[in-house]
Amino acid sequence: MAQHNELGKKGEAEAAEFLEKKGYVIIQRNFVFQKAEIDIIAQKDNILAIVEVKTRSSLDFGLPQDFVKPKKVQLLVKAVNEYVISNDLDVEIRFDIIAIHNNKQTFDIEHIEDAFYYF
């Protein structure tokens, strides 16, 4: 596996652990619908958090959250719509980003709730 893929998988694992410590239940990881992938689907109370995880080894080219582009948002909305309909859910949907910077020995994690809106 390429080094950047390994870093991404490690970042997703760190993000899931971070969310669990904050009281979220991880419902699913890497949900795929057509060309869209949701990194983490987590629930806390009546909120279904759709979490995009961005992990970077360097901040030289910008913050991790800056790499969530409009096309990715569009794909996430499409995927979560399918997920909610196919699972007949009645929950509030929130789109979050977990931005992770691999600081060699540690991971700096920032959880951005309501990172974007889908309407």
Side-chain angles (χ1 to χ4, degrees):
M1 185 181 299
Q3 188 173 357
H4 70 278
N5 289 341
E6 290 177 24
L7 179 62
K9 292 295 177 196
K10 178 70 174 152
E12 286 181 16
E14 291 287 328
E17 184 179 319
F18 175 85
L19 288 169
E20 287 173 332
K21 287 179 181 175
K22 288 180 68 174
Y24 288 83
V25 174
I26 305 301
I27 304 298
Q28 190 164 349
R29 289 177 58 180
N30 305 112
F31 173 77
V32 177
F33 175 69
Q34 295 177 352
K35 295 181 180 181
E37 180 183 0
I38 300 172
D39 292 331
I40 299 174
I41 299 172
Q43 188 163 358
K44 186 173 184 181
D45 302 323
N46 196 42
I47 296 174
L48 192 68
I50 308 306
V51 183
E52 176 66 12
V53 180
K54 286 295 181 189
T55 307
R56 294 291 180 261
S57 58
S58 167
L59 300 179
D60 292 345
F61 298 104
L63 299 172
Q65 60 267 33
D66 294 340
F67 291 88
V68 180
K69 303 297 183 191
K71 180 65 176 171
K72 178 62 178 183
V73 172
Q74 189 177 42
L75 288 171
L76 285 172
V77 170
K78 187 175 186 180
V80 76
N81 188 51
E82 173 62 24
Y83 183 84
V84 168
I85 290 170
S86 65
N87 289 288
D88 195 28
L89 300 178
D90 184 21
V91 293
E92 181 181 336
I93 305 294
R94 189 181 73 210
F95 291 92
D96 295 356
I97 296 173
I98 292 188
I100 301 176
H101 173 228
N102 183 1
N103 216 356
K104 303 303 175 213
Q105 273 68 33
T106 63
F107 285 93
D108 297 329
I109 299 175
E110 181 181 2
H111 182 192
I112 305 163
E113 296 179 357
D114 284 319
F116 52 87
Y117 298 97
Y118 51 92
F119 51 85

